[in-house]
Amino acid sequence: MTTQIFAIANQKGGVGKTTTAVNLCAYLAAADCRVLLVDSDPQANATTSLGIDPRKPGTSLYDVLIDNRPVQEAVTATSFTGLSLVPANLDLAGAEVEMAARMAREQLLSKALQPLHNDYDYIIIDDPPSLGLITINGLTAADGIIIPVQCEYLALEGLSQLLSTIHQVRRVLNARLKVAGVLLTMSDARTNLSTQVVADVREHFPLETFETLIPRSVRLSEAPSHGLTILSYAPESAGALAYQALAAEFIGRFPVSVEAASDGLPGGLGAGSPGSVVPQR
């Protein structure tokens, strides 16, 4: 089956975008999916979170976009079977300036990923917290966008600008792009504010919002400092269980195939159950 490509994006920082990219990929790989994470954020947080030092020499996304290096040279193995990474490094911070003079500059990432379309079930792109040229490249390459929304005050602020950008990309660059999901992050059921934000987001995006809520979690915050995903760092924590459930819900929405989705879940459960739990390795 052809690879499904998703960009995880929100121009607002601190919403759990990279945390979601890394941990969703880890649990998809744990469900026996073939997954590639593309770190397109110059901060390289996804790269670091998977235990890879972005300062060490090696082919990165910058080399692929700017120097036309084959993307296969940048694909890096991780500690998870089935999960590979195209790493970022600090050079990527200057990429937008260099990309600006290129022909078809919005399509550089899309074209770079084409040789990998039959190698993975899912390609997940971790976009930077901006609506610049790198993010536009992610949206142009993707079949769908996943939007993390923090369960805090002004959560919906700025989403209108992001939705406008999505509409423009769909109209001009990538007609297949859709809002694949809205993910509520940093939820705290004990507060009225969090409960109200959840209700507001579900009202605005009734079909797109995932059932799974990602809780505010110290463990989720600690894991990247150890170069680990939450699956490796604290697999029994509330954050880990939430990302297990999200991965199952994600597979239910976007199955690789009937056979692959069923085989990856325990007890013969179909992938369509949002509450299903993805098995841990």
Side-chain angles (χ1 to χ4, degrees):
M1 184 175 179
T2 303
T3 298
Q4 298 179 75
I5 304 176
F6 297 90
I8 299 182
N10 190 331
Q11 78 271 26
K12 186 177 180 181
V15 298
K17 179 180 56 61
T18 297
T19 298
T20 294
V22 168
N23 290 300
L24 175 60
C25 285
Y27 278 103
L28 290 175
D32 295 326
C33 299
R34 300 169 301 160
V35 185
L36 176 68
L37 175 57
V38 178
D39 188 355
S40 72
D41 189 338
Q43 298 176 84
N45 289 336
T47 299
T48 303
S49 296
L50 288 173
I52 295 169
D53 188 347
R55 297 167 297 182
K56 289 187 176 180
T59 306
S60 71
L61 184 62
Y62 175 87
D63 303 303
V64 173
L65 295 178
I66 303 304
D67 296 332
N68 299 315
R69 298 279 289 275
V71 69
Q72 295 93 327
E73 293 183 10
V75 174
T76 304
T78 73
S79 59
F80 282 91
T81 301
L83 174 57
S84 300
L85 171 74
V86 173
N89 58 27
L90 293 179
D91 291 340
L92 201 57
E96 291 199 352
V97 175
E98 298 179 68
M99 293 163 67
R102 300 287 183 90
M103 293 289 291
R105 56 187 177 270
E106 302 90 352
Q107 300 172 350
L108 295 175
L109 181 58
S110 178
K111 292 179 178 177
L113 292 176
Q114 283 179 359
L116 303 179
H117 280 193
N118 293 320
D119 296 342
Y120 298 94
D121 300 312
Y122 302 107
I123 295 177
I124 306 293
I125 303 168
D126 182 27
D127 280 323
S130 71
L131 293 179
L133 190 51
I134 291 178
T135 296
I136 298 300
N137 264 261
L139 298 181
T140 302
D143 302 302
I145 175 174
I146 296 172
I147 307 171
V149 176
Q150 188 177 5
C151 292
E152 293 194 356
Y153 184 60
L154 299 179
L156 294 172
E157 184 181 11
L159 277 187
S160 60
Q161 185 181 1
L162 176 58
L163 294 173
S164 175
T165 299
I166 293 169
H167 176 72
Q168 292 179 53
V169 170
R170 185 187 296 128
R171 181 169 54 86
V172 178
L173 297 167
N174 179 10
R176 73 184 186 280
L177 180 66
K178 62 182 180 294
V179 176
V182 176
L183 177 66
L184 290 154
T185 64
M186 304 181 192
S187 171
D188 187 347
R190 299 170 299 178
T191 67
N192 291 333
L193 175 59
S194 184
T195 301
Q196 185 59 52
V197 170
V198 170
D200 289 345
V201 172
R202 293 199 189 284
E203 181 181 352
H204 281 82
F205 304 98
L207 300 178
E208 296 87 354
T209 305
F210 286 104
E211 290 296 323
T212 303
L213 300 178
I214 305 300
R216 182 173 293 279
S217 167
V218 173
R219 297 296 189 190
L220 283 173
S221 301
E222 291 174 345
S225 66
H226 298 275
L228 298 171
T229 70
I230 195 64
L231 174 56
S232 299
Y233 181 68
E236 302 302 324
S237 65
L241 297 177
Y243 277 110
Q244 279 187 318
L246 176 64
E249 188 176 357
F250 181 89
I251 292 172
R253 287 193 185 192
F254 311 106
V256 176
S257 66
V258 174
E259 294 79 9
S262 297
D263 289 346
L265 296 169
L269 290 174
S273 303
S276 301
V277 177
V278 179
Q280 300 172 16
R281 289 194 186 281

